[in-house]
Amino acid sequence: MSTTSLPARKKRKLSETRASEANEDTIATLEKSLMVSAENTTSVKVELAKLVKATKKATDPEITHKGIYALYRVFVSLASSGRLVGTQKADTEEKKAIRNELLKQLKTYGEFLSSLLKDQEESLHTAALQILMSVLKHLSTAVSKSSGQPQIHMIWWRCIVQGLTVCPLSLRPSSTSSSSNRALISTVRDQFVDTWFSVHDDIRWFFLRDTGNLLKPGATVDPQVPENIFSILEKLNTMPTDASELNEFWIPAFAKAPSDLGLGAEIPDDDEEDDWRKSFDEPDGSEHDDGTGKGNRVYRLSTLQSLHSLTSHRVQFTVCWFALLPHLSGSMHLCLRVLNILHRGIMPHLTRPLRLNDWIGGCVDLGGSIGLLALNSLFTLMQEYNLDYPSFYTKLYAFLDSDVLHLKHRSRFFRLAELFLSSTHLPSTLLASFLKRLSRLSLSAPPAALVVIIPFTYNIMKRHPALMCLVHRRLSINESTGLPENHYVDPFNPDETSPLLTNALDSCLWELVSMKNHYQASVAILARIFEEQFTKPQYALEDFLDHTYGTLFTTEIKKRIKADPALAMEHIKDLFPGKQIAPREGDKETLISATDLVSEIWTFG
């Protein structure tokens, strides 16, 4: 390195430091000037543009941090004084032009803050989200006060939605965020969900409405947008279930209940059940409000009325999810995450859960872990929402193959299968097919799967006494000899796909009975239960689901030995008998020919 490069390098560092200090001083000076000369509209317009520009050009995160908070204080002051409210009729053209310029700078500031949500500096994206939500409250309060009715500042709110869903790259000059990564940062997501989305009813309602519109059919969105939206929705665990729970609002103007509806009152309707089809229709103008508020459908309500209506919240939740699900179908990972929460976190809050039938059915056809979880959701639709799905048990029967006993989702399958087959109204023919298929698969199953199959079979037979013939069936007797037939032909058809046509009820579980001679002692002991009377209570299946080779081995080595095992073996001289020769006098053993080298080596004594 040449000697001339060292001074230049120091000069660059010094110039950068001086530039940062100058930028910091500029921000402080402009903020002070703006707060003092708030009434001088021309001065405010010019100095505000300089402050926005200085903040956007700052490369040091600390300077950016001070800049966005300086702008926050300035815009809150302007909003409180009514300078950012829509144009009034009495205003002059000059005031209108200045107001438009202030709103332009406000939009630029909002876009810059939304881009900081993707900045690599955690302090910046945390502060940016707090400022975005705080400014939203002040702007919405000012707009509501000016118009005389509760409103949200839609331009600013869309900046927030844009930053949380599209995740634009950081506009800060020194930011190094990747241009290909548009995923929502987890800390930003958790902060938004825990502080606003799961707490405040108005924020949740507006977010569900706008993201549902963003994903509506025909809309072109970035592939990362649906995943960002889903990452927020899957964290929601405070969806209201009663109208009285709609009592927390971020924007104060929305907290007061509308005069024509009681606090959290439900929308009256002539029908006993909500007509879900009308919830999604656009108003055609054929219905008119008589001023009483009665007969108003959800889509006929004002924003304030909708925020205090439980049905309206459920409709927005439903529209958002049904717009989102088609965008997630292409990813196995995302489908798995949806199915994990579908039955407990989504279905109870939908206006029409049965519309999930097609999407869940497509997931069942994928098989594997996704198919198993989809079966669970499908069973929930059948059990709680009266879905008619005749081929459910045929689909479940198709999952019984050799793979299910060897894969990691084996325990999940048996948990669900025990739930699906728990009804005492299921036909014995169907249940026999499941037990016989498991019995046949047990011939090639690992010991960890066998210790689940045997208690699972015992529990079902205990619950359905008509299946006892599967373990007490006698072999056919030959009429001529009066002895059992030596050759047994199993009538079970393993290639039949329908569990009602396999002839399993005419067969027997000889495969499981043979397990009493299994090399694994725990399996052999369990299999002997079929030779005893069925007087023992049902097994707790959870005690057997998590066994592996490791747990079985640990159990064996920790088992207390009651009797010492025999260690001595019977002495064998001729392990490999060779050519026999005449015994010597006084020797009763046959000697081995010495010419056989292998036999000579393995001859003891």
Side-chain angles (χ1 to χ4, degrees):
M1 181 181 293
S2 61
T3 56
T4 56
S5 63
L6 293 176
R9 197 172 184 184
K10 290 181 180 180
K11 286 181 180 179
R12 280 199 302 270
K13 289 185 177 181
L14 184 60
S15 62
E16 290 175 1
T17 303
R18 289 177 177 174
S20 298
E21 292 175 354
N23 203 5
E24 183 177 359
D25 294 338
T26 302
I27 290 174
T29 303
L30 288 173
E31 180 190 2
K32 184 177 179 180
S33 176
L34 283 167
M35 299 300 286
V36 171
S37 59
E39 298 299 327
N40 189 342
T41 54
T42 305
S43 175
V44 167
K45 181 182 72 170
V46 175
E47 293 179 351
L48 182 60
K50 291 181 180 180
L51 181 56
V52 172
K53 184 177 181 180
T55 302
K56 292 182 64 176
K57 290 177 61 177
T59 57
D60 188 351
E62 293 185 5
I63 305 301
T64 305
H65 193 275
K66 292 181 180 180
I68 59 177
Y69 269 103
L71 284 169
Y72 164 72
R73 290 186 288 269
V74 170
F75 278 114
V76 168
S77 177
L78 292 173
S80 302
S81 62
R83 305 283 295 280
L84 299 176
V85 180
T87 305
Q88 302 296 324
K89 294 181 180 179
D91 290 343
T92 63
E93 292 298 327
E94 182 183 0
K95 287 187 176 181
K96 292 179 182 179
I98 292 175
R99 180 177 289 111
N100 291 335
E101 184 64 27
L102 295 179
L103 292 175
K104 180 181 177 181
Q105 296 300 329
L106 176 66
K107 184 178 179 181
T108 303
Y109 175 50
E111 292 174 350
F112 180 66
L113 286 175
S114 65
S115 74
L116 290 181
L117 298 181
K118 277 293 291 180
D119 199 277
Q120 74 271 19
E121 292 289 337
E122 183 176 354
S123 60
L124 279 182
H125 58 64
T126 301
L129 183 59
Q130 291 175 343
I131 293 174
L132 282 167
M133 298 305 296
S134 182
V135 171
L136 175 69
K137 176 186 286 188
H138 289 284
L139 291 176
S140 300
T141 301
V143 172
S144 301
K145 184 178 179 180
S146 174
S147 63
Q149 59 182 359
Q151 293 184 30
I152 189 172
H153 196 280
M154 191 52 62
I155 296 177
W156 190 263
W157 170 248
R158 285 172 181 166
C159 287
I160 299 175
V161 175
Q162 186 85 356
L164 293 171
T165 58
V166 180
C167 296
L169 300 180
S170 178
L171 297 177
R172 189 168 63 89
S174 61
S175 178
T176 57
S177 54
S178 174
S179 59
S180 60
N181 182 14
R182 295 299 182 96
L184 180 61
I185 298 176
S186 59
T187 54
V188 175
R189 177 202 62 201
D190 294 340
Q191 182 187 8
F192 174 71
V193 171
D194 297 339
T195 309
W196 293 283
F197 188 63
S198 292
V199 178
H200 300 285
D201 300 311
D202 50 350
I203 298 300
R204 180 178 58 249
W205 189 89
F206 281 109
F207 185 82
L208 292 173
R209 187 195 67 175
D210 290 353
T211 51
N213 293 333
L214 185 65
L215 298 173
K216 61 184 179 182
T220 303
V221 295
D222 188 271
Q224 188 63 44
V225 172
E227 186 172 353
N228 291 336
I229 295 174
F230 172 65
S231 68
I232 294 175
L233 294 183
E234 71 175 335
K235 296 290 183 178
L236 178 63
N237 53 14
T238 57
M239 187 68 185
T241 56
D242 189 80
S244 61
E245 298 175 4
L246 301 174
N247 53 15
E248 193 73 31
F249 298 92
W250 177 246
I251 299 173
F254 292 135
K256 185 179 180 181
S259 58
D260 55 343
L261 287 176
L263 180 59
E266 197 49 69
I267 303 171
D269 198 353
D270 297 331
D271 302 323
E272 294 182 1
E273 296 182 359
D274 176 58
D275 187 356
W276 65 274
R277 291 177 291 271
K278 297 293 183 67
S279 307
F280 296 92
D281 292 341
E282 293 294 335
D284 55 5
S286 60
E287 296 182 7
H288 300 282
D289 187 9
D290 57 3
T292 63
K294 295 184 179 181
N296 286 350
R297 298 287 182 178
V298 173
Y299 62 88
R300 303 276 296 182
L301 299 179
S302 66
T303 301
L304 181 61
Q305 290 172 329
S306 298
L307 290 173
H308 287 269
S309 168
L310 178 63
T311 304
S312 176
H313 283 262
R314 294 184 63 194
V315 166
Q316 299 299 343
F317 185 84
T318 302
V319 171
C320 182
W321 269 109
F322 281 115
L324 177 63
L325 287 177
H327 293 274
L328 304 180
S329 300
S331 171
M332 302 280 282
H333 174 63
L334 293 178
C335 287
L336 194 62
R337 287 166 59 185
V338 172
L339 291 169
N340 272 317
I341 62 172
L342 186 61
H343 63 287
R344 69 178 185 275
I346 301 176
M347 285 186 187
H349 308 298
L350 298 177
T351 57
R352 187 75 173 186
L354 292 179
R355 294 180 63 204
L356 291 169
N357 181 21
D358 293 338
W359 189 83
I360 295 175
C363 292
V364 172
D365 296 336
L366 295 177
S369 299
I370 292 179
L372 284 177
L373 287 175
L375 277 178
N376 185 31
S377 299
L378 202 59
F379 185 76
T380 302
L381 288 178
M382 295 169 56
Q383 189 178 40
E384 299 183 10
Y385 302 100
N386 299 322
L387 173 67
D388 185 17
Y389 198 85
S391 61
F392 175 80
Y393 286 99
T394 302
K395 298 278 189 182
L396 179 62
Y397 188 71
F399 278 89
L400 282 175
D401 53 19
S402 57
D403 293 339
V404 79
L405 300 181
H406 294 269
L407 298 180
K408 62 181 181 180
H409 61 259
R410 178 183 63 215
S411 59
R412 174 180 293 171
F413 171 79
F414 279 101
R415 284 190 184 96
L416 296 177
E418 186 181 37
L419 173 65
F420 301 155
L421 302 177
S422 60
S423 174
T424 56
H425 300 288
L426 293 175
S428 300
T429 304
L430 183 143
L431 293 169
S433 296
F434 279 92
L435 297 187
K436 181 61 181 178
R437 174 69 75 90
L438 282 174
S439 179
R440 183 63 58 87
L441 292 175
S442 68
L443 295 176
S444 58
L450 290 174
V451 297
V452 180
I453 292 176
I454 295 173
F456 180 83
T457 303
Y458 179 86
N459 289 349
I460 292 182
M461 297 184 70
K462 181 79 173 178
R463 197 179 298 121
H464 300 270
L467 299 176
M468 292 297 178
C469 60
L470 295 177
V471 293
H472 295 297
R473 190 177 303 282
R474 296 177 178 272
L475 295 177
S476 58
I477 304 299
N478 191 316
E479 297 181 358
S480 59
T481 61
L483 298 175
E485 294 283 359
N486 292 329
H487 182 65
Y488 171 70
V489 178
D490 195 337
F492 173 68
N493 183 6
D495 299 324
E496 175 60 49
T497 57
S498 173
L500 298 175
L501 304 174
T502 60
N503 300 323
L505 200 59
D506 298 328
S507 181
C508 64
L509 304 181
W510 59 266
E511 299 93 345
L512 288 183
V513 176
S514 68
M515 294 300 160
K516 65 182 182 180
N517 298 319
H518 197 274
Y519 70 89
Q520 182 70 32
S522 56
V523 175
I525 293 173
L526 277 174
R528 294 193 185 105
I529 192 68
F530 297 112
E531 295 182 341
E532 304 174 2
Q533 294 184 357
F534 278 52
T535 57
K536 294 183 178 180
Q538 295 187 20
Y539 288 99
L541 199 62
E542 285 291 334
D543 296 340
F544 302 91
L545 290 177
D546 297 324
H547 277 300
T548 60
Y549 277 112
T551 59
L552 292 175
F553 179 76
T554 303
T555 301
E556 288 297 320
I557 62 176
K558 291 184 177 180
K559 185 182 296 184
R560 184 178 180 182
I561 300 176
K562 297 181 180 179
D564 295 335
L567 300 178
M569 299 177 61
E570 182 181 355
H571 183 63
I572 300 177
K573 292 184 177 181
D574 51 346
L575 187 60
F576 297 99
K579 182 180 179 181
Q580 297 182 359
I581 59 177
R584 291 180 296 180
E585 195 176 316
D587 191 353
K588 297 181 180 180
E589 298 291 338
T590 302
L591 297 181
I592 306 302
S593 174
T595 58
D596 189 346
L597 181 61
V598 175
S599 299
E600 187 179 59
I601 294 175
W602 287 93
T603 300
F604 307 101

